[in-house]
Amino acid sequence: MTRPDKPGQLINWFICSLCLPRVRKLWSSRRPRTRRNLLLGTACAIYLGFLVSQVGRASLQHGQAAEKGPHRSRHTTEAPFPEIPLDGTLAPPESQGNGTTLQPNVVYITLRSKRSKPANIRGTVKPKRRKKHAVASTAPGLEALVGPSLQPQEADAGAPEYAQGGNLAKTGERPWRLVRGPAVRAGGPDFLQPKTRESNIRIYSESAPSWLSKDDIRRMRLLADSVVAGLRPVSSKSGARLLVLDGGAPGTVPRCGPSPCGLLKQPLDMSEVFAFHLDRILGLNRTLPSVSRKAEFIQDGRPCPVILWDASLSPASNDTHSSVKLTWGTYQQLLKQKCWQNGRVPKPESGCTEIHHHEWSKMALFDFLLQIYNRLDTNCCGFRPRKEDACVQNGLRPKCDDQGSAALAHIIQRKHDPRHLVFIDNKGFFDRSEDNLNFKLLEGIKEFPASAVSVLKSQHLRQKLLQSLFLDKVYWESQGGRQGIEKLIDVIEQRAKILITYINAHGAKVLPMNE
């Protein structure tokens, strides 16, 4: 008999060694069978029977385990330890000699790292139970535009030199150009069909933000989701193109006027989208609707800003892109005259234009927050420009000695509304340091709009910008999501604090300008 090696077996062995000799002695001897001896013998007999049953059960289980051993080893070969990570952090269970695997008596618990979750902004969380309806083209019932489409020129042969004259070629980035890809139908009725029917303008709350009107939302969806029926070149060195969108009358040739159009600009001009939302939040309402859109027919498929083409804008000159020709000197004189303020008609000798005095205050505030210099400071005289800035590229920097004769640019009005300005070409700069801000943009401004200043002073500018920019899905993703948008908002908030300090230090007035 083998030597026992477990505590239970030792106890059984010890009891058996005591009981067997005593039972044998009781039954073989001639002593009287007293009540004590009978009870002791009966207990020993019962215990021996119990030991015999345990030995039989153990042998039966051992035989079944030996039969099922090969099947269990094959199963473990197919799926090795599904509950244990395979990165080497935990050792596999030990294996016995008979082929069976001894599972460890351990419970593995995965601890998730605790991360800070940002607060939910209203309208930026998609409801789980509500199904968002897709928004297709703004022209219901028109599956395809009847008539010939405006096809782009080939990228390799005969392409216009708009990329070389644009900003991308000057800054060292790869210039984008028109290409023919799988999304472009040569000679087909549609120039570009949208890949998905889900709108790129996402609104998950019951209504859009209050600072965006119904027309703004409709135009944003028009620019983001409509089918592109053709392209038209624009006489501009920036390389912009007009997208003729599907929405005209059936049977007409796609062109701007009967069909809505959007101005497709370079990927570097993506800040125009941010400028549009900031304009609406501040209550200025002077910019044209702008969205981001991925154009598959553009090289690399990078997102580009698309600005609504407004045919009601007054004609502009080719040199300054302005409907009103002004120099810096005459502009400062207009600020002193306060033209059309409080309903007063200016005198003929005052030199006033049809633009209201408050429009210049709104433009100065807007341009300072985004550091837009191509309107009021075309020669870059108020800050230290970089080599890739337009004023340095065009050799305008040395002309700062005669600032009075410097021409203003991009001063645009509407034909039917000459009192108010329209802010175009709103490319902002977020990488301008605080010690290099252009305060020349604020020169001569003595009043600021109360609605915009109240938003800048409040603690809700960040929340409103997040909620508004979230609507544009392509722009949100192109900037790196919420983390990238937060960095842009940090810059605007810091400039807002500087602007408020400037207003208080110079004693500027804050007036309601909602005429």
Side-chain angles (χ1 to χ4, degrees), residues 310-479:
D310 193 348
S312 65
L313 299 182
S314 300
S317 60
N318 295 329
D319 51 350
T320 61
H321 301 284
S322 300
S323 57
V324 178
K325 291 185 178 181
L326 293 175
T327 61
W328 177 258
T330 56
Y331 165 69
Q332 291 297 319
Q333 293 296 326
L334 292 179
L335 294 179
K336 296 177 181 179
Q337 295 293 332
K338 299 183 179 181
C339 304
W340 305 100
Q341 189 174 9
N342 298 326
R344 295 194 304 264
V345 179
K347 298 179 181 180
E349 62 272 13
S350 62
C352 289
T353 62
E354 295 179 324
I355 302 173
H356 197 280
H357 174 68
H358 289 167
E359 296 299 299
W360 306 115
S361 300
K362 296 178 181 180
M363 176 181 287
L365 180 143
F366 185 72
D367 287 2
F368 180 82
L369 292 177
L370 294 172
Q371 288 296 295
I372 302 173
Y373 64 88
N374 59 2
R375 272 193 282 262
L376 300 175
D377 190 14
T378 55
N379 294 346
C380 303
C381 300
F383 66 102
R384 300 184 301 273
R386 301 171 301 179
K387 295 181 180 179
E388 55 267 22
D389 287 329
C391 57
V392 178
Q393 295 289 333
N394 298 329
L396 301 177
R397 176 69 174 173
K399 297 182 180 181
C400 291
D401 297 336
D402 187 12
Q403 299 186 27
S405 61
L408 305 187
H410 304 290
I411 308 299
I412 296 292
Q413 310 154 282
R414 284 190 170 92
K415 300 175 184 178
H416 63 279
D417 187 15
R419 291 285 186 271
H420 302 96
L421 293 174
V422 179
F423 301 164
I424 64 171
D425 201 0
N426 303 311
K427 180 182 178 181
F429 297 89
F430 293 90
D431 56 350
R432 192 82 50 80
S433 60
E434 295 181 11
D435 59 346
N436 193 29
L437 294 180
N438 192 354
F439 284 92
K440 188 175 184 291
L441 304 174
L442 304 176
E443 188 173 337
I445 302 297
K446 304 299 181 182
E447 302 95 4
F448 289 91
S451 60
V453 174
S454 63
V455 174
L456 297 179
K457 288 183 177 180
S458 67
Q459 303 296 327
H460 304 294
L461 178 61
R462 176 180 297 271
Q463 178 182 356
K464 290 182 177 181
L465 282 172
L466 286 173
Q467 185 178 350
S468 188
L469 293 171
F470 180 80
L471 300 181
D472 196 326
K473 179 181 178 181
V474 177
Y475 179 81
W476 183 273
E477 294 176 353
S478 66
Q479 302 302 315

Side-chain angles (χ1 to χ4, degrees), residues 2-275:
T2 59
R3 184 179 180 180
D5 55 353
K6 294 184 179 180
Q9 294 180 359
L10 289 175
I11 295 174
N12 294 335
W13 179 263
F14 178 73
I15 295 176
C16 290
S17 63
L18 293 178
C19 290
L20 288 176
R22 196 173 189 86
V23 172
R24 188 171 58 251
K25 186 177 181 180
L26 287 174
W27 289 101
S28 61
S29 64
R30 294 182 179 181
R31 292 182 182 182
R33 297 179 181 178
T34 61
R35 186 177 180 178
R36 177 183 176 185
N37 293 335
L38 288 176
L39 292 176
L40 184 60
T42 304
C44 291
I46 294 174
Y47 190 76
L48 289 176
F50 175 74
L51 289 179
V52 171
S53 63
Q54 291 294 328
V55 171
R57 184 180 300 176
S59 61
L60 180 61
Q61 293 179 356
H62 181 73
Q64 294 178 356
E67 293 177 358
K68 296 181 180 180
H71 301 283
R72 182 178 301 176
S73 61
R74 182 180 61 187
H75 178 70
T76 55
T77 304
E78 294 176 356
F81 317 116
E83 299 297 331
I84 301 177
L86 301 178
D87 54 356
T89 56
L90 295 176
E94 298 178 357
S95 178
Q96 294 182 343
N98 56 1
T100 61
T101 301
L102 182 61
Q103 296 291 341
N105 189 17
V106 180
V107 178
Y108 296 98
I109 301 176
T110 303
L111 299 178
R112 294 183 177 180
S113 59
K114 188 176 182 181
R115 62 183 181 88
S116 59
K117 185 177 180 181
N120 291 333
I121 306 300
R122 186 183 71 85
T124 61
V125 179
K126 186 176 183 179
K128 295 182 180 180
R129 295 183 179 181
R130 196 178 79 180
K131 192 172 182 181
K132 185 163 68 70
H133 299 282
V135 178
S137 174
T138 56
L142 292 180
E143 296 295 333
L145 186 63
V146 181
S149 61
L150 297 177
Q151 299 295 337
Q153 299 181 4
E154 293 293 335
D156 297 330
E161 295 295 331
Y162 62 88
Q164 285 74 12
N167 296 328
L168 288 177
K170 297 176 181 178
T171 56
E173 290 199 9
R174 291 177 297 173
W176 54 270
R177 62 172 184 258
L178 298 176
V179 295
R180 289 189 181 273
V184 179
R185 293 184 182 180
D190 293 331
F191 185 74
L192 176 63
Q193 291 285 354
K195 289 185 176 181
T196 60
R197 298 188 63 83
E198 183 179 357
S199 175
N200 287 323
I201 305 302
R202 48 189 181 183
I203 300 177
Y204 296 150
S205 58
E206 295 180 358
S207 60
S210 58
W211 51 87
L212 293 174
S213 64
K214 294 182 179 180
D215 288 338
D216 289 334
I217 299 298
R218 179 180 59 84
R219 291 166 179 172
M220 290 170 63
R221 284 175 170 166
L222 172 71
L223 296 173
D225 304 325
S226 294
V227 177
V228 178
L231 283 175
R232 295 191 64 183
V234 180
S235 58
S236 175
K237 295 182 179 180
S238 61
R241 291 265 169 169
L242 274 179
L243 296 181
V244 182
L245 304 176
D246 188 4
T252 60
V253 178
R255 59 185 179 87
C256 296
S259 301
C261 290
L263 187 65
L264 178 68
K265 304 190 74 173
Q266 302 276 7
L268 278 180
D269 300 328
M270 194 68 75
S271 57
E272 296 241 14
V273 180
F274 191 100

Side-chain angles (χ1 to χ4, degrees), residues 255-314:
R255 59 185 179 87
C256 296
S259 301
C261 290
L263 187 65
L264 178 68
K265 304 190 74 173
Q266 302 276 7
L268 278 180
D269 300 328
M270 194 68 75
S271 57
E272 296 241 14
V273 180
F274 191 100
F276 162 68
H277 290 273
L278 179 62
D279 166 73
R280 294 300 192 265
I281 292 173
L282 296 178
L284 304 178
N285 299 324
R286 292 295 179 266
T287 62
L288 299 173
S290 176
V291 301
S292 296
R293 181 164 181 162
K294 288 185 178 180
E296 289 79 2
F297 50 87
I298 299 298
Q299 185 180 1
D300 297 335
R302 290 177 290 175
C304 301
V306 181
I307 299 95
L308 182 68
W309 179 262
D310 193 348
S312 65
L313 299 182
S314 300

